[in-house]
Amino acid sequence: MKVIESIIYKDNYNSLTINDKEIIYNDISMKINEEMYLNYLKDLFLIINDWNNEYINLSIIDGGSWNLVIKFVDNSERKYVGRSDRPNNFEEFENLNFSLIKEVQNGYIEY
């Protein structure tokens, strides 16, 4: 298994970067502990396991866009992008991110 350097998610309104030490959500940096990070990774890979690399709907001109990049320490990357389209289980992915942010904001932080 490759070692992950960081996970970067951006949409039209927000950005989220996660690594083994911190979460950066829209310019706010919060520490994360190892257990939270490993649980996040486990759930993330279950969600994105069957995703295609691109979700593009050209029939919608002004739809939203998003991208997810998983960077590995060997400088390789896995990229997923969407414009006016997304995977069927995308809401699970968004809920996973918001749950992690909420958990960290509620004080479950390792200093």
Side-chain angles (χ1 to χ4, degrees), residues 38-54:
L38 293 176
N39 285 335
Y40 175 85
L41 291 181
K42 176 183 61 89
D43 293 341
L44 174 67
F45 282 101
L46 287 173
I47 292 169
I48 67 172
N49 186 48
D50 294 325
W51 282 15
N52 298 324
N53 291 338
E54 291 187 350

Side-chain angles (χ1 to χ4, degrees), residues 8-85:
I8 303 162
Y9 169 66
K10 295 181 181 178
D11 64 19
N12 290 355
Y13 308 103
N14 299 296
S15 66
L16 175 66
T17 302
I18 300 169
N19 63 44
D20 65 341
K21 296 190 181 10
E22 68 180 339
I23 299 171
I24 303 169
Y25 178 61
N26 296 336
D27 299 329
I28 299 170
S29 177
M30 301 168 274
K31 293 187 185 283
I32 185 172
N33 67 41
E34 182 180 10
E35 179 182 359
M36 292 165 65
Y37 178 67
L38 293 176
N39 285 335
Y40 175 85
L41 291 181
K42 176 183 61 89
D43 293 341
L44 174 67
F45 282 101
L46 287 173
I47 292 169
I48 67 172
N49 186 48
D50 294 325
W51 282 15
N52 298 324
N53 291 338
E54 291 187 350
Y55 292 85
I56 310 292
N57 184 343
L58 297 176
S59 65
I60 299 175
I61 296 170
D62 60 353
S65 64
W66 60 272
N67 67 67
L68 171 66
V69 179
I70 301 170
K71 294 184 176 189
F72 298 95
V73 294
D74 66 0
N75 293 323
S76 64
E77 297 180 337
R78 282 175 67 179
K79 295 182 182 181
Y80 305 90
V81 298
R83 287 181 200 88
S84 304
D85 199 8

Side-chain angles (χ1 to χ4, degrees), residues 84-100:
S84 304
D85 199 8
R86 56 193 202 170
N88 290 335
N89 65 347
F90 195 78
E91 191 172 324
E92 286 181 54
F93 168 68
E94 290 181 318
N95 289 339
L96 174 66
N97 291 333
F98 289 125
S99 292
L100 179 65

